[in-house]
């Protein structure tokens, strides 16, 4: 499970903050395994490289069909799925609806260069 990305530190005393909660960002590098689903090779390779450079374990796949196989066959637990929205064989929202049946608490980030207005 990926940890929260923010930690509560205390209340601010600044008048401009009006008692707002002070938050400190945590470094989440080297934490978790990600299933990256992207059908455009250069986009997938760039994203995978960026995630690897931050220390994440990354499984790269080209489509939703392969993603389901990879999730089923993964040797380590998958903490997050990053999926393109629009793909030819099985789009991202369809993939995640299927995944939610066996992994109801799976965390998901959708990415896309051309998302439909109502994809969920």
């Amino acid at each position: 499970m990926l940890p929260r990305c923010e930690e509560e530190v205390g209340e601010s005393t600044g008048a401009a903050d009006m008692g707002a909660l002070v938050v400190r960002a945590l470094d989440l590098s080297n934490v978790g395994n990600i299933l990256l689903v992207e059908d455009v090779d250069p986009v997938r390779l760039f994203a995978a490289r960026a995630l690897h450079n931050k220390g994440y374990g990354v499984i790269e796949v080209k489509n939703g069909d392969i993603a389901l196989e990879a999730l089923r066959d993964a040797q380590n637990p998958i903490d997050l799925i990053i999926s393109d929205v629009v793909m030819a064989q099985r789009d991202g929202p369809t993939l995640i609806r299927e995944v939610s049946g066996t992994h109801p608490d799976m965390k998901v980030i959708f990415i896309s260069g051309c998302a439909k207005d109502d994809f969920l």
Side-chain angles (χ1 to χ4, degrees):
M1 176 178 235
L2 293 174
R4 291 179 59 137
C5 65
E6 298 177 339
E7 177 183 342
E8 295 178 4
V9 179
E11 288 191 26
S12 170
T13 56
D17 295 330
M18 304 285 285
L21 194 60
V22 177
V23 175
R24 179 179 64 198
L26 300 176
D27 183 359
L28 298 178
S29 300
N30 300 309
V31 179
N33 297 302
I34 298 172
L35 177 58
L36 176 61
V37 189
E38 171 59 62
D39 59 344
V40 178
D41 292 342
V43 174
R44 187 181 62 257
L45 295 172
F46 175 81
R49 185 178 311 121
L51 293 166
H52 279 297
N53 287 343
K54 283 297 188 180
Y56 295 104
V58 180
I59 298 172
E60 305 171 46
V61 298
K62 289 184 170 198
N63 62 54
D65 294 335
I66 300 170
L68 290 174
E69 293 173 22
L71 185 61
R72 184 188 65 235
D73 299 340
Q75 294 179 358
N76 296 312
I78 301 296
D79 301 296
L80 171 70
I81 296 175
I82 300 177
S83 177
D84 189 2
V85 174
V86 180
M87 294 181 286
Q89 292 162 313
R90 177 181 273 126
D91 67 12
T94 301
L95 166 66
I96 298 309
R97 278 192 290 276
E98 292 180 35
V99 167
S100 67
T102 56
H103 298 81
D105 296 326
M106 180 61 70
K107 304 217 179 353
V108 177
I109 296 174
F110 283 112
I111 58 175
S112 184
C114 55
K116 297 176 186 173
D117 288 336
D118 54 347
F119 66 88
L120 290 178

